[in-house]
Amino acid sequence: MVSEKSKAYLNTLVATQGLFYIKLHQAHWYIKGPNFFSLHPKLEELYDDLTEQMDETAERLLALGGKPYSTLQEFLEHSLISESVEERTLSEEEMIHNVITDFEVLRDELSNGIKLTDEEHDDVSNDMLIAQKTQVDKTIWMMQAYRGHTALDDKK
């Protein structure tokens, strides 16, 4: 049986993915600069991928008898990332830096969930989180490479 701790973890993950989805839309709509034509569709691809992950997380939580957060208010209250209207005025470089930073928060939270679900012998959730982390790790690497950095050059 899956613990309430695991359900709470998955719900926090849903909230974080939900708010990040909104933030990626903001970046998609407000990105400007010499790389607009490559970044605009890339950001759309990222929020489409995140939508699939959030849906998978919420459906797993439902399967475990949980009740996933589903409102913007719940996302704001329970997400591990925050958002700001001012982010729409950031430069292209600053916006991409923020996207990478949010992916790093998501990566770290997925690592926490992998440990938790492993300890609780919840193999299905564990596999799901490992797959999501694999995708997030690849995204961080690619976004860092786009900026001319390695994946380990975070915070630059």
Side-chain angles (χ1 to χ4, degrees), residues 22-137:
I22 299 298
K23 287 185 71 173
L24 285 169
H25 267 88
Q26 183 184 49
H28 169 77
W29 291 332
Y30 285 96
I31 194 82
K32 57 187 173 297
N35 299 302
F36 172 84
F37 287 110
S38 62
L39 289 173
H40 185 74
K42 182 62 177 176
L43 290 163
E44 182 174 4
E45 175 188 322
L46 293 176
Y47 68 67
D48 285 345
D49 290 345
L50 191 58
T51 299
E52 290 177 24
Q53 290 181 10
M54 180 177 57
D55 189 57
E56 183 179 34
T57 304
E59 289 175 353
R60 178 64 183 155
L61 182 55
L62 285 164
L64 296 172
K67 293 181 170 73
Y69 299 128
S70 59
T71 67
L72 292 176
Q73 186 63 44
E74 289 171 316
F75 293 168
L76 287 167
E77 290 174 4
H78 300 284
S79 175
L80 298 174
I81 61 172
S82 60
E83 53 93 37
S84 167
V85 171
E86 290 77 30
E87 289 182 43
R88 71 175 103 178
T89 63
L90 296 175
S91 70
E92 179 182 276
E93 177 65 25
E94 292 168 322
M95 213 175 267
I96 295 306
H97 172 79
N98 281 0
V99 167
I100 292 168
T101 298
D102 287 341
F103 269 112
E104 290 169 341
V105 170
L106 186 57
R107 174 202 60 203
D108 295 346
E109 185 59 10
L110 289 165
S111 291
N112 292 336
I114 290 166
K115 290 175 192 163
L116 174 64
T117 55
D118 185 52
E119 290 168 3
E120 297 205 350
H121 307 289
D122 179 3
D123 297 338
V124 175
S125 296
N126 192 262
D127 286 348
M128 175 191 74
L129 297 173
I130 290 170
Q132 289 182 12
K133 186 175 180 302
T134 300
Q135 189 172 353
V136 167
D137 285 348

